[in-house]
Amino acid sequence: MDESKQKQIFDEWLSQHKGIMFKIVRAYAFIPHDQDDLFQEISLQLWRSIPDFRGEAKPSTWIYRVALYTATIWARREKRQPPTQPLADIEHTLTVTAQQDHERLDWLYEQIGQLEPVDRSVCLLLLDGFSYKEIADMLGISESNVGVKVHRIKQHLIYKSKEVQP
Amino acid sequence: MKNFEEMQSIWESQHDEKLFAVDDTALHAYIKRKGRTTRSLLELFEWIMIALNLLVGVALAVDLLRDNGSGYRLILPVTYLTFSAYALLRRLKRQANEVRFKPTLLGELDKAIWQIDYLIRQGQTMMTWYVLPLVLALSITVFYNQKSLWTLAPTLALIPLCYFGIRWEINKWHLPKKRDLEALREKLIAPEVH
């Protein structure tokens, strides 16, 4: 695949599906510097994945899978090894432009952020309306396994919501 | 929030597109720089093995042809060229093997674990199937050339360095990364939510 075609696909994906990337970035990284770093990493992995994209899945599903895998690995790596590069040396590609005045959404992101990286993936897919089968296909696990994870995640979130709103 | 459906409706109300701004120019510059230059460790290792052995093998073969040499002098160029061809074959085999991993999160994890295993195996077999045969070929050449075996001393000194270097690399980098990926894999396939 030539580079201009690859760039065209990448730009299309970015303009149409950046919402997916932003949600994942926000669920896995919590300070602007980390969000920028993760966004760059996801973008890079998406770029590299384009030659492998055969169109068998929808672009949104493909982007979700690549972004979730990248974010899951990134979250574990960051936990193990804090970044060594000075903040000033990092190029900035992503900036927070507005603060959403949405207390309940912030709370939801906070709770998702407290889940294990793998469970965060399941939770994000579930909230975005993917079926158990679609989640299972994307993660490569059985539907029944997805069902068990979903059940526990829902229980956890409802329990946490009762803590703040007795 | 009393139930999950309510959480879902809150989730759907978000407008994250407006929350962040992407600097397209900086992003493209970053991708151009990283996308081209960064090869995986595995790819780099394979290309070094293929190119280095090929270069040395061809240089020795050209030297041999110039002098109309034969016999024992054939051993070294043939050894190097064989290593280069073998490294190329292994690379092709690896690429064929990688196709079998499904495009899922689990498939990506399995592929990453398999690639680390492959690197570890490469490192471990390098001593037996690369360094030692090379030293043997060098020894035969030196012996037939009627040169002192002391000329081999620097090469022999490299063997323990090579051995401990490979072990250090495996223990310091590859094994911890593999264990981490395996733990993640376990979390993914285990039905429990922690």
Side-chain angles (χ1 to χ4, degrees), chain B residues 55-70 73 77:
Chain B
L55 277 175
V56 177
V58 167
L60 287 169
V62 168
D63 196 38
L64 184 76
L65 288 172
R66 268 198 205 134
D67 298 349
N68 284 325
S70 61
R73 285 190 64 194

Side-chain angles (χ1 to χ4, degrees), chain A residues 115-135:
Chain A
L115 296 170
E116 281 286 332
V118 164
D119 301 330
R120 266 182 251 177
S121 303
V122 177
C123 191
L124 287 176
L125 292 168
L126 187 70
L127 285 166
D128 263 337
F130 285 91
S131 68
Y132 283 19
K133 185 176 182 323
E134 285 170 321
I135 298 175

Side-chain angles (χ1 to χ4, degrees), chain B:
Chain B
M1 278 174 272
K2 293 186 181 75
N3 54 47
F4 191 76
E5 284 67 36
E6 203 180 332
M7 290 179 201
Q8 204 151 18
S9 68
I10 290 164
W11 183 257
E12 282 159 9
S13 73
Q14 68 181 306
H15 301 289
D16 262 357
E17 280 89 346
K18 291 175 189 160
L19 190 64
F20 296 108
V22 180
D23 182 340
D24 286 336
T25 317
L27 185 65
H28 279 116
Y30 173 80
I31 285 172
K32 204 171 175 181
R33 188 162 47 81
K34 288 270 184 176
R36 272 186 189 164
T37 53
T38 316
R39 278 190 188 280
S40 73
L41 187 64
L42 196 57
E43 292 253 313
L44 196 70
F45 177 77
E46 285 172 343
W47 280 118
I48 288 174
M49 288 300 284
I50 294 166
L52 200 70
N53 285 302
L54 184 69
L55 277 175
V56 177
V58 167
L60 287 169
V62 168
D63 196 38
L64 184 76
L65 288 172
R66 268 198 205 134
D67 298 349
N68 284 325
S70 61
Y72 70 89
R73 285 190 64 194
L74 272 168
I75 295 172
L76 265 183
V78 167
T79 307
Y80 277 109
L81 291 173
T82 308
F83 282 144
S84 178
Y86 181 64
L88 183 67
L89 275 176
R90 279 197 73 140
R91 178 182 153 76
L92 293 173
K93 200 177 163 192
R94 173 184 68 79
Q95 284 174 328
N97 264 321
E98 281 178 357
V99 177
R100 70 191 157 98
F101 294 103
K102 288 182 183 162
T104 63
L105 205 65
L106 185 65
E108 294 280 357
L109 277 173
D110 283 338
K111 186 174 164 182
I113 293 168
W114 183 85
Q115 283 179 332
I116 293 176
D117 266 337
Y118 180 84
L119 259 178
I120 292 174
R121 274 200 312 275
Q122 287 264 56
Q124 285 167 340
T125 53
M126 204 173 158
M127 277 306 290
T128 325
W129 297 106
Y130 184 72
V131 178
L132 293 179
L134 206 57
V135 168
L136 188 70
L138 275 170
S139 309
I140 294 169
T141 310
V142 167
F143 178 77
Y144 278 107
N145 233 355
Q146 293 174 334
K147 281 189 178 163
S148 164
L149 282 174
W150 282 107
T151 52
L152 271 179
T155 314
L156 291 175
L158 282 177
I159 294 178
L161 261 179
C162 195
Y163 175 75
F164 289 111
I166 289 169
R167 275 190 60 166
W168 178 83
E169 189 191 315
I170 289 174
N171 291 327
K172 173 84 181 168
W173 302 108
H174 303 318
L175 282 178
K177 197 173 170 194
K178 187 187 164 192
R179 277 195 283 269
D180 206 37
L181 288 171
E182 281 173 342
L184 200 57
R185 189 186 188 282
E186 276 305 303
K187 287 240 162 67
L188 180 63
I189 58 171
E192 290 84 19
V193 171
H194 302 278

Side-chain angles (χ1 to χ4, degrees), chain A residues 4-61:
Chain A
S4 63
K5 177 77 183 158
Q6 193 171 358
K7 187 176 179 299
Q8 187 199 330
I9 295 172
F10 180 76
D11 287 343
E12 253 175 55
W13 283 3
L14 195 64
S15 72
Q16 287 169 20
H17 304 288
K18 61 176 179 262
I20 296 173
M21 293 160 78
F22 291 165
K23 279 178 199 167
I24 294 171
V25 161
R26 205 174 158 194
Y28 281 83
F30 314 112
I31 56 169
H33 161 258
D34 284 352
Q35 290 174 338
D36 197 10
D37 187 43
L38 178 57
F39 180 75
Q40 286 181 5
E41 187 67 28
I42 290 174
S43 301
L44 183 64
Q45 294 310 325
L46 267 184
W47 169 267
R48 285 182 178 156
S49 79
I50 291 172
D52 297 328
F53 179 67
R54 306 261 176 266
E56 288 156 8
K58 284 190 285 185
S60 58
T61 310

